[in-house]
Structures are given as C-alpha cells and as structure tokens.
C-alpha cells in the first residue's frame, strides 16, 4: 500500500527536473534588482546629481542628493513583480522534460540548454537572462523618469525647487513671485530626459559583468 502510494507520487514528482520556484525565484529576482540598482542605476543617478549640482548646489554636499529619489524608487520594491514576471513565467518556466517525460542531458544543472525553468537553463541562457533583466529595469526607469505624473520624477523636481528656493539667487521670477526661472527648469528637465540614455549605455564599459558570480549564485539552487 505504502509502496503503491509512493510510486503514484513519484509519477507526479519525477518527470522533468526541478524548476526554479519559491526561494529560487525570490533570490534570483532580488539579485538582479540589487546588482542593477547598485551598478548602472547608481552610476546614472550620481551622474545626474553631478550635473544638477552645477545648476543648484545641494545642501552640505550630500553624496548623490539629487539622484536619491531614483535609487529609492528601485530599492523600495516597485520593480520586483515586473522583474520576476519577465524572467520566470514569461520566459524561463516549466520543468525540463522531453516528450517521454525524462530529463534532457545537462538538466537541471549546470548546463541545461533547453529553455525551461531550471537553474541550469538560466545559467546556460545567461545572455538572454541578462537582457531580460536590463530590459525590465530600463522600461521601469523610462516610466519613472519620463512620465510627467511619475511620483519619483516629482520628488526629483521637489528637491531642485527646494534648494533653488533656499538659495534665493536661483529664483528669478517677477518681483514677489517665488518661482524658479524657466531656464533653470528647462535645463533640469533636459537632465532628467538624459537619464534613460545614460542608463542604456551604462553597462557598455564592462561594469555590469556579473556573469561569474551570478551563475554561481543561481547554481546554489537545486
Ligand atoms: C551580483 O549578484 C550576485 C548574486 O547575488 C552577487 O554575488 C554579487 O556580489 C553581485 N554583484 C554586485 C556587483 O553587486
Ligand atoms: C562605467 O561607467 C560608469 C558611468 O557610466 C562609472 O560610474 C563606472 O565607474 C564605470 N566602470 C568602469 C569599470 O569603468
């Protein structure tokens, strides 16, 4: 009786190799968000800060001050679902099994050339995984910086306006009206618009070469 039950269970469990689920999905999604946030996004945010700082100096030279809303946006979790969906159900999904229900050679680890939801497949198709992750981040960034109604874009504007207001020399409205000059705002918006372009090329100097550590991290999952 016990053996029968076991073999029935085995029928459901054994075909195909282990897919990335639960902790594996969470861990890998978080790893991409972490590396992108601390790598290309951070350098773009600091570049932006340095450019805005030339328009209106920031208080006490807080490092990266004008770029902080950008980094906070990525860190606070708004990107998680988009990243996880794009990597897993949309591309790397399902257990690896051939038509007979057996595991193809190299699967699940470490070199599963079939596109499926195993760590070995994620590693084998690393370039695809990389481009999915960067693409999601870029699309998110585009919404965050370019949409006029984006709360993060508004926060970036608020920081500038606050500093410009605190330093009255940057306010050049009509007598009595405390609004920053049109020219200042135009230049600021130009710098915001340039963020996306900067992000697109931020990985070109090899600073996003996470292949070795990312692959070994992925293979820590069964
Ligand atoms: C990228 O992610 C991997 C896996 O979490 C980690 O080992 C590595 O330190 C990260 N690299 C950077 C530069 O953040
Ligand atoms: C790559 O460029 C970014 C700026 O786009 C810079 O912050 C980073 O330090 C550079 N990395 C290397 C390895 O040159």
């Amino acid at each position: 009786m016990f053996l029968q039950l076991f073999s029935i269970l085995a029928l459901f469990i054994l075909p195909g190799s282990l897919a990335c689920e639960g902790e594996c999905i969470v861990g890998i999604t978080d790893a991409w968000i972490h590396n992108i946030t601390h790598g290309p996004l951070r350098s773009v945010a600091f570049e932006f800060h340095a450019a805005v700082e030339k328009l209106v100096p920031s208080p006490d030279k807080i490092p990266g001050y004008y770029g902080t809303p950008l980094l906070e946006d990525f860190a606070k979790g708004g990107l998680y679902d988009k990243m996880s969906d794009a990597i897993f159900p949309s591309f790397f999904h399902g257990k690896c099994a051939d038509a007979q229900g057996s595991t193809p050679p190299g699967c699940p680890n470490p070199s599963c050339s079939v596109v499926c939801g195993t760590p070995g497949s994620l590693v084998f198709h690393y370039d695809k995984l990389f481009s999915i992750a960067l693409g999601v981040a870029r699309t998110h960034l585009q919404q965050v910086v370019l949409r006029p109604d984006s709360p993060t874009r508004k926060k970036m504007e608020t920081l500038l306006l606050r500093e410009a207001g605190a330093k009255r020399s940057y306010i050049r409205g009509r007598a009595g009206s405390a609004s920053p000059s049109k020219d200042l705002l135009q230049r600021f918006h130009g710098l915001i618009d340039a963020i996306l372009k900067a992000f697109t090329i931020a990985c070109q100097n090899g600073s996003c070469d996470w292949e070795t550590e990312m692959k070994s991290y992925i293979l820590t999952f069964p």
Side-chain angles (χ1 to χ4, degrees):
M1 173 64 196
F2 182 75
L3 268 182
Q4 258 177 353
L5 186 64
F6 183 77
S7 53
I8 289 168
L9 278 178
L11 265 184
F12 288 99
I13 293 166
L14 287 182
S17 48
L18 284 183
C20 190
E21 281 165 4
E23 266 179 46
C24 175
I25 288 184
V26 174
I28 291 171
T29 302
D30 281 343
W32 283 103
I33 293 175
H34 174 276
N35 283 22
I36 290 170
T37 305
H38 293 264
L41 186 74
R42 190 179 161 81
S43 59
V44 164
F46 273 73
E47 258 174 55
F48 171 76
H49 167 79
V52 179
E53 170 90 5
K54 285 186 191 141
L55 297 180
V56 180
S58 67
D60 305 325
K61 300 240 175 279
I62 295 173
Y65 181 70
Y66 289 117
T68 44
L70 215 49
L71 295 168
E72 281 164 9
D73 182 288
F74 270 55
K76 77 174 188 247
L79 186 54
Y80 182 88
D81 288 346
K82 295 179 192 173
M83 186 63 79
S84 170
D85 287 351
I87 296 175
F88 294 99
S90 309
F91 196 80
F92 293 100
H93 60 89
K95 297 185 191 332
C96 262
D98 61 20
Q100 284 71 46
S102 48
T103 303
C107 303
N109 294 330
S111 53
C112 182
S113 62
V114 184
V115 174
C116 58
T118 63
S121 178
L122 286 149
V123 162
F124 191 90
H125 299 282
Y126 180 83
D127 290 347
K128 180 67 189 176
L129 176 60
F130 179 87
S131 73
I132 291 174
L134 263 290
V136 172
R138 189 183 181 280
T139 305
H140 181 72
L141 186 61
Q142 184 170 14
Q143 290 166 355
V144 161
V145 294
L146 297 188
R147 278 199 193 164
D149 62 343
S150 144
T152 297
R153 182 183 165 110
K154 288 206 176 106
K155 275 184 208 157
M156 295 163 89
E157 245 168 36
T158 304
L159 292 187
L160 175 86
L161 297 181
R162 194 192 291 157
E163 293 318 309
K167 301 176 177 66
R168 303 203 59 85
S169 52
Y170 294 92
I171 304 285
R172 297 215 185 82
R174 270 174 289 125
S177 82
S179 63
S181 71
K182 223 172 149 183
D183 177 54
L184 175 65
L185 278 181
Q186 242 167 26
R187 288 205 225 173
F188 180 72
H189 288 140
L191 294 176
I192 287 202
D193 294 346
I195 289 176
L196 192 66
K197 207 169 170 192
F199 184 81
T200 306
I201 59 168
C203 286
Q204 284 177 1
N205 63 2
S207 58
C208 306
D209 185 8
W210 308 309
E211 186 163 349
T212 308
E213 66 246 57
M214 209 38 120
K215 282 182 172 178
S216 53
Y217 176 66
I218 293 170
L219 291 177
T220 62
F221 296 100

